[in-house]
Amino acid sequence: MSEMLQKIDNSIIKKNESFAAKAETLKPTLLQREQRPERIVRVVPDEQVIHGWRVEQEEAAVAEHLPARVLGKGDQVIVDFGDHQVGSLSIKIKPVGSPPDAPLYLKLTFGEMPVEMAVPFFEYDGWLSRSWLQEEYVHVDVLPGVLKLDRRYSFRYLKLEVVDTSPKYKVSFEDICCTTVTSGDRNRVRELHHSDPELQAIDRVSIKTLEDCMQEVFEDGPKRDRRLWLGDLRLQAIANYDTFQNNELVKRCLYLFAAFPNDKGQVAANLFIKPEVIPDDTFLFDYSLLFVSTLHDYYLVTKDQETLEELWPTALRQIEIGLEQLDERLIVQDSEIWYSFIDWHPELNKQAPSQAVLIYAMKQALHLAELLQDDSRDVLRRQIDEVQAAAIQHLWSEVEQYFVSGKGRQVSWATQVWMVLAGVLDKEKSRELLLRLLAEQPGIPLMTPYMMHHLIEALIQVGERDRAILEMKQYWGGMVRDGADTFWELYDLHNKKFSPYGSYLINSYCHAWSCTPTYFIRKYKL
Amino acid sequence: MSEMLQKIDNSIIKKNESFAAKAETLKPTLLQREQRPERIVRVVPDEQVIHGWRVEQEEAAVAEHLPARVLGKGDQVIVDFGDHQVGSLSIKIKPVGSPPDAPLYLKLTFGEMPVEMAVPFFEYDGWLSRSWLQEEYVHVDVLPGVLKLDRRYSFRYLKLEVVDTSPKYKVSFEDICCTTVTSGDRNRVRELHHSDPELQAIDRVSIKTLEDCMQEVFEDGPKRDRRLWLGDLRLQAIANYDTFQNNELVKRCLYLFAAFPNDKGQVAANLFIKPEVIPDDTFLFDYSLLFVSTLHDYYLVTKDQETLEELWPTALRQIEIGLEQLDERLIVQDSEIWYSFIDWHPELNKQAPSQAVLIYAMKQALHLAELLQDDSRDVLRRQIDEVQAAAIQHLWSEVEQYFVSGKGRQVSWATQVWMVLAGVLDKEKSRELLLRLLAEQPGIPLMTPYMMHHLIEALIQVGERDRAILEMKQYWGGMVRDGADTFWELYDLHNKKFSPYGSYLINSYCHAWSCTPTYFIRKYKL
């Protein structure tokens, strides 16, 4: 540990002790709730449903029917908690037959989706670690007894498989209990009574998604990566302001990022929280700039002047670092390496959308600088004009009537959406651009709820509220129709088995960056 | 739990609360010791060694070489603790590379023998529960960290396999520590300086076997079944008297058996100790009778009059129950069910050896009755004469010059050995019988160290000390030559892969009933 930290310390990390200490004092108390399964189910193949697996009820009234099931070697049972859960698990196990003359060998499989109950994890061959797949093999030496699993799981379904007992006894499961954890207090969420049941449902699933991602920090996903990513944080924060209102948690996360910049002052793309805070060695052009945006949004809601003043230098530094990456034309220097996130599409060129994110962040920085009456504001104003002019001069294609990106002059949705959000064109031209984009469907499409969020935001910004609702109902409503209890990390209407990781088994099905419909519905009163 | 216990309570168990309470007060404090691996090894196929697998050293100085090994997905390392260990495990794990961005998924395999490091446990298809095979799959969410496995393992070798980390980091193992447990205090064992190095080695391995089986009770084997069996207890007790001298532990075990008889008063063949004492629903003719023998041996060593007086009624009741199983000829009624243990040979008929065990136990009961001046002694004397006469009349074959057993008039070694131990023939005839048995090698052979113990005891009893040593060197010395750190549950010189369970993977390689050579060497000054 110490060796590793030192290496990071010595080479790149400049820890701000005061910020780190402040973040520590803001650590939330987790709220706990006991949840029990609602029914016993099985999964059956069905090509009509997502991933090809459908859940069928075997028994309701788990408390009555589960203890009556006696399981021996090779037997299994699947319980359905009825909704997405994040927490630890305990199972009360009773032996049936002779006294247990050998340990119980039990396999547990947790799934957010029915497919995780059906497809054996050993078939997984994606490139992310299989350690994310939620399975446990456990020996229970003393029966009857309560098996306590202290890890935190993210799931709705739980499969219990008896690997072995002995020829002389079997087992039954008398009680299964998940102790859920969250730092989002449901009591603070205003009830919504929407006239449109579809929006009502989308709002509910959004809030559940956000709740389950709110832990000691805003995590990106409780199944995976369970980590504080800046891009997710920004969206969680805005969804939080009109729901759980845990603004202290946003503040904590801002201080955490500000506490662990590299030696240039750039904030990391994400932070590991345990055993102590460690910034990842991944730095992303867009994510670092979105620190500015997150601080900007936080201040507008909270008017927390002290935090703004303390974190402003960090925010401004992200703009300066972004500007350092511009070429002599004042255009973001493109690169083959993974320097900017933007979206998961494997062919997406990042240059133009990164340019747009820079302009977007600079305008928010200017707003903050003006509020602070900071000396930087005049320079910022000039720089914005220059960088924006460069974008129009070098990235706008008169022929194609789209912004283009990279050597290949790629047209992508992400570029148009971010240019609109950055306000590079006036409102009417932005509106025309977006509507043409939707009509013509050119180039590289959007791949994630993260980028879909930005499309919706852009549509609202140009006054296309109805179109925004339509797109939201099609996309997030599509997830609800496909059975989402919480919104998914990945959802492609045209390829529902899409995963950038080589297997949809490893996708996160409760993912922070997908939680923003509640923000749109509540903030813009859609 | 309660339901199950009640069922047993209501139907057959008559718990003696006072005896149970006394056993509880005698619960030993376990002695702990920290043990670390001695070397890094690999296992290589070698048809010349037992099970076909040999251990080769890769590195000595584990403390230096192990932390330097960096393991990623699919990598493994095997460490050798240098001797058999019984205890829990902790491993200090360090990440190497980027901060760990996914849990570590680790597989641990514990082995008493090299074969357990080589043959995948999923190939196991024996009839005992695979839950006995010592493997764990563990997710480690926080690194660096110390993985603590609280189960108790029985092993010399430990294989660590990295199922997965992530593409961004690997791990190394900085420290591995086993905290061993035993209720046998080494400081109480007198050092032996034997002129014969082979007997010296056999004595050492015997004592290590006994030490590792001495836990909260005398267990049959720390890997399997981890349970108090009466047949094992009797042999452990006599090995204990001349070594660890934990006579309180013998007393505790006697009280435990006496505390949980069935409604007839018969003591169970074995007891489960956790979560509370439960007698197994297995009752064996010979094992119940050996309660008498264990009490007899205990009293002769300790002269503990109070225990003798308290437990005498239980002992006498075992004789009465034994006698109830006799037919009108006063011969044990044979049966197809597993009514008596004697030995593991699948074709062994139990009638005649059970008759001999009955006579053996009756004679020890008479000895105790005489010491107690108990009213039963005259009846016992008469019964012994009758049952012994019946044995000679109905079970001795003049034609074969052996005792025979069952309808098929089977000749087995177990029968002859037990008849000698029971003193059914006079000493000279007994000697002739044993020597003829060894010369002619007829019928069903002995299969286990348990029955080998009785052969050695019988040889010594008839004055054949040299032959006893020869047999002991051949059998237990064979195990030592085959690499035993502790003596094995099963050992067949002619079939070293023998297992009554369908796979030698599940055999116990540290087994109480094999620990008695130290008793012979020390008690009889061999």
Side-chain angles (χ1 to χ4, degrees):
Chain A
M1 171 65 228
S2 51
E3 195 185 348
M4 193 177 64
L5 244 195
Q6 277 166 12
K7 191 182 151 213
I8 291 176
D9 279 342
N10 293 342
S11 58
I12 53 165
I13 297 303
K14 286 192 72 170
K15 182 175 175 184
N16 183 314
E17 295 289 351
S18 154
F19 288 178
K22 194 160 226 169
E24 185 62 24
T25 65
L26 293 165
K27 198 163 155 182
T29 305
L30 296 183
L31 306 170
Q32 299 193 338
R33 191 176 281 121
E34 292 200 342
Q35 297 286 348
R36 290 185 160 76
E38 288 188 353
R39 53 187 194 147
I40 301 173
V41 299
R42 61 177 155 254
V43 282
V44 292
D46 183 344
E47 283 311 314
Q48 300 304 306
V49 302
I50 194 159
H51 305 141
W53 295 96
R54 180 166 48 79
V55 165
E56 263 183 20
Q57 178 166 310
E58 286 186 1
E59 303 281 4
V62 170
E64 179 187 343
H65 290 287
L66 187 62
R69 293 214 178 186
V70 176
L71 292 87
K73 181 174 181 170
D75 294 336
Q76 67 166 57
V77 64
I78 300 174
V79 292
D80 172 7
F81 279 72
D83 202 351
H84 192 267
Q85 313 292 336
V86 176
S88 57
L89 195 83
S90 72
I91 308 181
K92 199 169 165 193
I93 309 174
K94 188 180 78 167
V96 179
S98 291
D101 59 338
L104 162 66
Y105 197 8
L106 188 65
K107 182 181 179 186
L108 302 95
T109 309
F110 300 79
E112 295 181 320
M113 295 292 287
V115 65
E116 291 165 277
M117 296 293 100
V119 176
F121 288 173
F122 65 77
E123 292 182 8
Y124 172 75
D125 64 350
W127 61 269
L128 287 187
S129 177
R130 67 177 304 121
S131 64
W132 289 120
L133 300 174
Q134 301 177 105
E135 65 178 2
E136 306 291 354
Y137 288 88
V138 180
H139 290 94
V140 184
D141 292 314
V142 178
L143 289 173
V146 178
L147 171 65
K148 286 178 192 287
L149 298 176
D150 291 333
R151 296 182 76 212
R152 204 193 63 192
Y153 302 95
S154 180
F155 68 104
R156 169 173 170 170
Y157 305 100
L158 169 65
K159 181 166 60 177
L160 301 172
E161 291 173 273
V162 175
V163 181
D164 213 337
T165 49
S166 93
K168 293 191 70 178
Y169 82 101
K170 297 183 175 186
V171 293
S172 67
F173 303 106
E174 292 198 293
D175 186 33
I176 301 178
C177 181
C178 175
T179 303
T180 64
V181 283
T182 177
S183 53
D185 182 353
R186 285 183 193 180
N187 297 322
R188 303 208 60 183
V189 181
R190 174 176 52 82
E191 266 195 70
L192 183 77
H193 301 285
H194 205 288
S195 56
D196 183 336
E198 193 173 359
L199 291 183
Q200 178 83 30
I202 290 172
D203 180 76
R204 178 181 50 75
V205 176
S206 294
I207 290 170
K208 180 66 173 149
T209 306
L210 178 58
E211 182 181 30
D212 286 358
C213 293
M214 287 174 74
Q215 302 295 335
E216 291 191 5
V217 293
F218 283 100
E219 293 185 12
D220 60 333
K223 170 181 163 188
R224 208 207 81 243
D225 303 332
R226 311 183 201 151
R227 214 187 305 165
L228 176 57
W229 281 91
L230 233 169
D232 298 77
L233 168 63
R234 168 169 158 271
L235 301 193
Q236 285 168 295
I238 58 175
N240 163 75
Y241 298 135
D242 282 303
T243 56
F244 296 101
Q245 305 169 61
N246 191 343
N247 300 347
E248 295 288 277
L249 191 63
V250 181
K251 182 175 171 181
R252 165 169 155 80
C253 293
L254 283 167
Y255 272 98
L256 280 171
F257 275 110
F260 294 90
N262 68 10
D263 56 355
K264 292 198 316 185
Q266 186 172 8
V267 296
N270 68 80
L271 302 178
F272 301 93
I273 304 301
K274 285 182 180 172
E276 50 192 319
V277 181
I278 305 174
D280 192 9
D281 52 12
T282 298
F283 292 84
L284 296 171
F285 182 88
D286 54 343
Y287 272 30
S288 296
L289 287 167
L290 293 174
F291 179 87
V292 184
S293 182
T294 310
L295 180 62
H296 169 266
D297 300 341
Y298 171 78
Y299 178 77
L300 292 198
V301 169
T302 62
K303 307 291 186 237
D304 174 352
Q305 191 71 21
E306 184 187 325
T307 297
L308 175 60
E309 286 175 12
E310 282 204 326
L311 298 185
W312 166 248
T314 302
L316 184 60
R317 184 67 195 128
Q318 307 316 305
I319 301 293
E320 294 165 359
I321 291 166
L323 290 169
E324 285 170 14
Q325 190 141 337
L326 301 185
D327 62 18
E328 68 288 345
R329 302 172 304 163
L330 300 184
I331 296 297
V332 172
Q333 296 178 62
D334 207 9
S335 165
E336 290 298 305
I337 65 161
W338 194 59
Y339 69 97
S340 191
F341 174 67
I342 306 295
D343 199 8
W344 266 131
H345 197 294
E347 287 155 39
L348 177 66
N349 182 279
K350 309 296 175 73
Q351 184 185 49
S354 295
Q355 181 92 5
V357 172
L358 175 61
I359 298 165
Y360 176 84
M362 288 173 82
K363 289 183 177 176
Q364 292 182 320
L366 175 59
H367 186 188
L368 295 179
E370 283 167 346
L371 288 166
L372 289 164
Q373 309 216 340
D374 189 79
D375 290 345
S376 62
R377 57 193 191 275
D378 292 339
V379 177
L380 269 172
R381 239 178 252 119
R382 178 176 53 73
Q383 287 170 326
I384 289 169
D385 288 344
E386 292 170 1
V387 174
Q388 192 162 269
I392 291 171
Q393 184 183 345
H394 299 292
L395 302 178
W396 175 256
S397 164
E398 275 299 330
V399 180
E400 308 209 44
Q401 288 290 305
Y402 286 117
F403 288 97
V404 294
S405 183
K407 270 192 197 157
R409 298 180 68 78
Q410 179 188 78
V411 174
S412 70
W413 288 48
T415 300
Q416 319 313 316
V417 165
W418 270 113
M419 286 293 181
V420 168
L421 289 172
V424 173
L425 305 178
D426 66 27
K427 184 168 171 183
E428 188 45 35
K429 281 196 176 151
S430 290
R431 184 174 156 273
E432 285 171 23
L433 177 63
L434 281 185
L435 294 180
R436 190 152 26 85
L437 182 76
L438 291 168
E440 296 179 356
Q441 314 249 340
I444 306 290
L446 307 183
M447 288 303 286
T448 59
Y450 175 76
M451 264 316 300
M452 278 302 296
H453 163 89
H454 293 96
L455 173 64
I456 306 297
E457 184 80 283
L459 283 168
I460 292 172
Q461 192 172 301
V462 301
E464 288 289 338
R465 288 169 59 97
D466 289 347
R467 186 65 198 241
I469 294 171
L470 187 74
E471 294 290 332
M472 205 163 71
K473 284 187 171 183
Q474 192 176 333
Y475 192 74
W476 279 271
M479 283 192 245
V480 172
R481 286 186 292 277
D482 278 332
D485 304 298
T486 46
F487 286 126
W488 306 336
E489 175 189 19
L490 285 319
Y491 187 60
D492 182 347
L493 281 164
H494 310 293
N495 172 17
K496 292 187 178 176
K497 293 189 175 180
F498 170 68
S499 171
Y501 315 119
S503 165
Y504 53 78
L505 278 178
I506 207 107
N507 288 4
S508 159
Y509 292 96
C510 172
H511 216 71
W513 72 20
S514 312
C515 78
T516 55
T518 187
Y519 155 78
F520 294 121
I521 292 167
R522 288 166 184 251
K523 166 128 182 158
Y524 297 115
K525 307 201 184 342
L526 298 185
Chain B
M1 170 67 223
S2 51
E3 196 185 349
M4 194 177 63
L5 245 196
Q6 277 167 9
K7 192 181 150 209
I8 291 176
D9 279 343
N10 294 343
S11 58
I12 54 166
I13 297 303
K14 285 191 72 169
K15 181 175 176 185
N16 183 315
E17 295 289 352
S18 154
F19 289 178
K22 194 161 226 168
E24 185 62 25
T25 66
L26 293 164
K27 199 164 157 182
T29 305
L30 296 182
L31 306 169
Q32 300 193 335
R33 191 177 279 120
E34 291 199 342
Q35 297 286 349
R36 290 185 160 76
E38 287 188 353
R39 53 187 195 147
I40 301 172
V41 298
R42 62 177 154 255
V43 282
V44 293
D46 183 345
E47 281 311 313
Q48 300 304 304
V49 303
I50 194 160
H51 304 142
W53 294 96
R54 181 167 46 79
V55 164
E56 263 183 19
Q57 177 166 311
E58 287 187 0
E59 304 279 6
V62 169
E64 179 188 344
H65 290 287
L66 187 61
R69 294 213 177 185
V70 176
L71 291 86
K73 181 175 181 169
D75 295 335
Q76 67 166 60
V77 64
I78 300 174
V79 292
D80 172 7
F81 278 72
D83 202 350
H84 192 267
Q85 312 293 337
V86 176
S88 57
L89 196 84
S90 71
I91 309 181
K92 200 171 164 190
I93 309 174
K94 188 179 78 166
V96 179
S98 292
D101 59 337
L104 162 65
Y105 196 8
L106 187 65
K107 181 181 179 186
L108 303 95
T109 308
F110 301 80
E112 295 181 321
M113 294 292 287
V115 65
E116 291 164 277
M117 297 293 100
V119 175
F121 288 172
F122 65 75
E123 291 182 9
Y124 172 76
D125 63 351
W127 61 268
L128 287 187
S129 177
R130 67 178 305 122
S131 63
W132 289 120
L133 300 174
Q134 301 177 101
E135 65 178 4
E136 305 291 354
Y137 288 87
V138 180
H139 290 93
V140 184
D141 292 315
V142 178
L143 289 174
V146 177
L147 171 65
K148 286 178 193 287
L149 298 176
D150 290 333
R151 296 181 77 212
R152 205 194 62 192
Y153 302 95
S154 180
F155 67 105
R156 169 174 168 168
Y157 305 100
L158 168 65
K159 180 165 62 179
L160 300 171
E161 292 173 271
V162 175
V163 181
D164 212 338
T165 50
S166 93
K168 292 190 71 177
Y169 83 101
K170 296 182 177 188
V171 293
S172 66
F173 303 105
E174 292 198 293
D175 187 33
I176 301 178
C177 181
C178 174
T179 303
T180 65
V181 283
T182 177
S183 53
D185 182 355
R186 285 182 193 182
N187 297 322
R188 303 209 60 183
V189 181
R190 175 176 52 84
E191 267 194 67
L192 183 76
H193 301 284
H194 205 286
S195 57
D196 183 336
E198 193 173 358
L199 291 184
Q200 178 84 30
I202 290 172
D203 180 77
R204 178 181 49 74
V205 176
S206 295
I207 290 171
K208 179 67 173 149
T209 307
L210 178 59
E211 182 182 29
D212 286 358
C213 293
M214 287 174 75
Q215 301 295 337
E216 291 192 5
V217 294
F218 283 101
E219 293 185 10
D220 61 334
K223 169 181 164 188
R224 209 209 77 243
D225 303 331
R226 312 183 202 151
R227 213 187 306 166
L228 176 57
W229 281 90
L230 233 169
D232 299 77
L233 167 64
R234 168 169 157 270
L235 300 192
Q236 286 169 293
I238 58 175
N240 163 74
Y241 298 134
D242 283 304
T243 56
F244 295 102
Q245 305 168 62
N246 191 342
N247 301 348
E248 295 287 277
L249 191 64
V250 181
K251 182 175 170 180
R252 164 169 155 83
C253 294
L254 284 167
Y255 272 98
L256 280 171
F257 276 110
F260 294 90
N262 68 10
D263 56 356
K264 292 198 316 185
Q266 186 173 7
V267 298
N270 69 80
L271 302 178
F272 301 93
I273 304 301
K274 286 181 180 170
E276 50 193 320
V277 181
I278 306 174
D280 192 10
D281 52 12
T282 298
F283 292 84
L284 295 171
F285 183 88
D286 55 344
Y287 272 30
S288 296
L289 288 166
L290 294 174
F291 178 88
V292 184
S293 183
T294 311
L295 179 62
H296 169 266
D297 300 342
Y298 171 78
Y299 178 76
L300 291 196
V301 169
T302 63
K303 307 291 186 238
D304 175 352
Q305 192 71 23
E306 183 188 327
T307 297
L308 175 60
E309 286 175 13
E310 282 203 325
L311 299 185
W312 166 247
T314 302
L316 185 60
R317 184 69 196 127
Q318 306 317 305
I319 302 293
E320 293 166 358
I321 291 166
L323 290 168
E324 287 169 12
Q325 189 141 339
L326 302 185
D327 62 17
E328 68 288 346
R329 302 172 303 161
L330 299 184
I331 296 296
V332 172
Q333 295 179 63
D334 207 10
S335 165
E336 292 297 306
I337 65 162
W338 194 58
Y339 70 98
S340 191
F341 173 67
I342 307 297
D343 200 8
W344 265 130
H345 197 294
E347 287 155 40
L348 177 66
N349 181 278
K350 311 293 175 74
Q351 184 185 48
S354 295
Q355 181 92 5
V357 172
L358 174 61
I359 298 165
Y360 176 85
M362 288 173 83
K363 289 183 176 176
Q364 292 181 319
L366 175 58
H367 186 191
L368 295 177
E370 284 167 345
L371 288 164
L372 288 163
Q373 309 216 340
D374 190 79
D375 290 345
S376 62
R377 56 195 192 274
D378 292 338
V379 177
L380 269 172
R381 239 178 250 121
R382 179 176 53 77
Q383 287 170 326
I384 290 167
D385 288 344
E386 292 170 0
V387 174
Q388 195 160 270
I392 292 172
Q393 185 184 343
H394 300 290
L395 302 177
W396 177 257
S397 164
E398 275 300 325
V399 180
E400 309 208 44
Q401 288 291 304
Y402 286 116
F403 287 98
V404 294
S405 184
K407 269 192 199 160
R409 298 181 68 77
Q410 180 188 77
V411 174
S412 70
W413 289 48
T415 299
Q416 318 314 315
V417 165
W418 269 113
M419 287 292 182
V420 168
L421 289 171
V424 173
L425 306 178
D426 67 26
K427 184 169 170 182
E428 187 46 35
K429 280 194 176 151
S430 290
R431 185 175 155 272
E432 286 171 24
L433 177 63
L434 281 184
L435 294 180
R436 191 152 28 85
L437 182 76
L438 291 168
E440 295 179 355
Q441 313 247 339
I444 305 291
L446 308 182
M447 289 303 285
T448 59
Y450 175 76
M451 263 318 299
M452 278 301 295
H453 162 89
H454 294 96
L455 173 63
I456 306 298
E457 184 81 282
L459 283 168
I460 292 171
Q461 192 172 301
V462 301
E464 288 288 338
R465 287 169 59 96
D466 289 349
R467 187 66 197 244
I469 293 171
L470 187 75
E471 294 290 332
M472 206 163 73
K473 284 185 171 182
Q474 193 176 332
Y475 192 73
W476 279 271
M479 284 192 244
V480 172
R481 288 185 293 279
D482 278 331
D485 304 298
T486 46
F487 286 126
W488 307 335
E489 175 190 19
L490 285 319
Y491 188 60
D492 182 348
L493 281 163
H494 309 294
N495 172 18
K496 292 188 177 174
K497 293 190 177 180
F498 169 69
S499 171
Y501 314 119
S503 165
Y504 53 79
L505 279 178
I506 206 108
N507 288 3
S508 158
Y509 293 96
C510 173
H511 216 72
W513 71 19
S514 313
C515 78
T516 55
T518 186
Y519 155 78
F520 294 121
I521 292 166
R522 288 167 185 250
K523 166 124 182 162
Y524 298 115
K525 307 202 182 342
L526 297 186

